[in-house]
Amino acid sequence: MRIATWNINSLRARMDRVAAFLERHDVDVLALQEIKAKPQQLDLTVLEEAGYEVAAHGLNQWNGVALVSRVGLADVRTELPAVPTWPEDETGVVEARALGGVVGDGLRIWSLYVPNGRELDHPHYPYKLRWLEALRAEGARELAADADAKVAFVGDFNVAPFDEDVWDMDFFEGKTHVTEPERAAFRAVVDEGFADVVRPEHPGPGVYTYWDYQALRFPKKEGMRIDFVLGSPAVQKAVTGSFIDREERKGKGASDHAPVVVDLEF
């Protein structure tokens, strides 16, 4: 089974690119982030005609996540247990940042769009840390219930776990994505048993999944590695290959992220 994750940065704007990507790489399951639409706003005809089921979760023109599968899609969930609201007060709502479903032969896959954090002194930063803690707790719960559970947390984590995951650490001084609390929150998920299954085959430095549209970051090779497939022990054992489709960052109308693709054989 081939799974992939991609921050698409507006599904309506890039539906044709998604359909072409699925066909070109023969993808079974695709997790999308930043779909930026409510489900009823999406015309899914091209995907459905290609044999895919789609579950989408979006509340407005921001955030939003989806799962696209041709190997079944069951037990769909639209939020992590105990995830914080934004804003974190009586006016807050659970944002559309997580969508989980069971695909194939019992793989629970979560499409995740972790909060950005914005600025170190912004309320969005502690919100991000609490969101990652909710993810860690869900991972711990899954493996406590079944140590052999097939679970994958995939998506845009908005964390660069290591210095080599950004082009220049000096540029990020005083900025989010690289701080120790964020990295510790990411490591906590990994330490529960969810390893980055792509890094062993594609180590850094210089291996990125995101390049800002501004300042010619892509042609300058000034990127960040912030999109991941974190697999439970059962998923780790099933990995037979992986790649980052850097070509999808090229061309007119490209997302600012590249898809991350993993092959599994259970």
Side-chain angles (χ1 to χ4, degrees):
M1 178 168 58
R2 173 164 283 183
I3 67 173
T5 181
W6 192 4
N7 180 320
I8 196 61
N9 195 8
S10 179
L11 180 53
R12 285 181 290 178
R14 297 181 173 86
M15 187 70 74
D16 289 343
R17 289 189 77 123
V18 169
F21 168 78
L22 291 168
E23 181 178 7
R24 183 170 62 257
H25 290 304
D26 198 24
V27 174
D28 295 302
V29 182
L30 173 62
L32 294 168
Q33 302 85 43
E34 272 202 282
I35 65 170
K36 295 183 175 179
K38 299 176 182 178
Q40 60 268 31
Q41 295 175 308
L42 298 170
D43 181 357
L44 302 173
T45 304
V46 66
L47 300 180
E48 293 170 344
E49 289 181 347
Y52 289 88
E53 298 177 69
V54 182
H57 178 42
L59 302 177
N60 48 41
Q61 73 272 32
W62 311 112
N63 307 322
V65 283
L67 287 172
V68 181
S69 173
R70 66 179 182 187
V71 290
L73 184 54
D75 192 19
V76 174
R77 305 176 189 175
T78 58
E79 64 182 65
L80 293 166
V83 72
T85 62
W86 177 256
E88 294 187 276
D89 57 30
E90 65 277 4
T91 69
V93 299
V94 175
E95 294 186 299
R97 293 182 175 274
L99 180 69
V102 176
V103 300
D105 187 20
L107 171 66
R108 163 70 65 183
I109 184 168
W110 283 94
S111 179
L112 305 170
Y113 181 42
V114 176
N116 178 283
R118 301 183 185 175
E119 305 291 339
L120 299 187
D121 58 355
H122 195 283
H124 212 256
Y125 182 77
Y127 165 61
K128 176 180 188 175
L129 299 180
R130 284 190 277 272
W131 205 98
L132 284 165
E133 168 55 24
L135 179 62
R136 182 210 63 77
E138 175 60 12
R141 186 198 66 77
E142 286 272 16
L143 294 184
D146 180 5
D148 296 321
K150 293 180 281 189
V151 182
F153 293 141
V154 311
D156 179 355
F157 283 75
N158 270 315
V159 178
F162 301 100
D163 288 357
E164 67 180 25
D165 295 333
V166 298
W167 82 89
D168 182 1
M169 277 297 295
D170 289 340
F171 176 85
F172 286 90
E173 184 176 356
K175 296 182 173 66
T176 60
H177 290 63
V178 300
T179 67
E180 180 52 29
E182 291 168 289
R183 288 177 169 181
F186 183 93
R187 284 197 305 271
V189 179
V190 173
D191 289 345
E192 289 293 349
F194 293 85
D196 177 352
V197 301
V198 177
R199 191 182 298 270
E201 189 174 0
H202 304 282
V207 177
Y208 306 131
T209 64
Y210 164 81
W211 301 259
D212 197 311
Y213 288 129
Q214 301 179 14
L216 298 174
R217 296 291 182 211
F218 185 67
K220 291 179 180 177
K221 300 181 180 180
E222 295 176 348
M224 303 175 68
R225 187 176 196 156
I226 57 176
D227 302 86
F228 300 96
V229 175
L230 302 186
S232 66
V235 172
Q236 296 165 39
K237 294 174 184 177
V239 174
T240 60
S242 64
F243 62 93
I244 297 167
D245 186 6
R246 192 176 180 278
E247 293 300 305
E248 274 295 344
R249 181 59 179 82
K250 297 179 180 179
K252 184 178 180 180
S255 170
D256 45 4
H257 292 250
V260 180
V261 183
V262 173
D263 290 322
L264 302 171
E265 186 174 327
F266 292 108

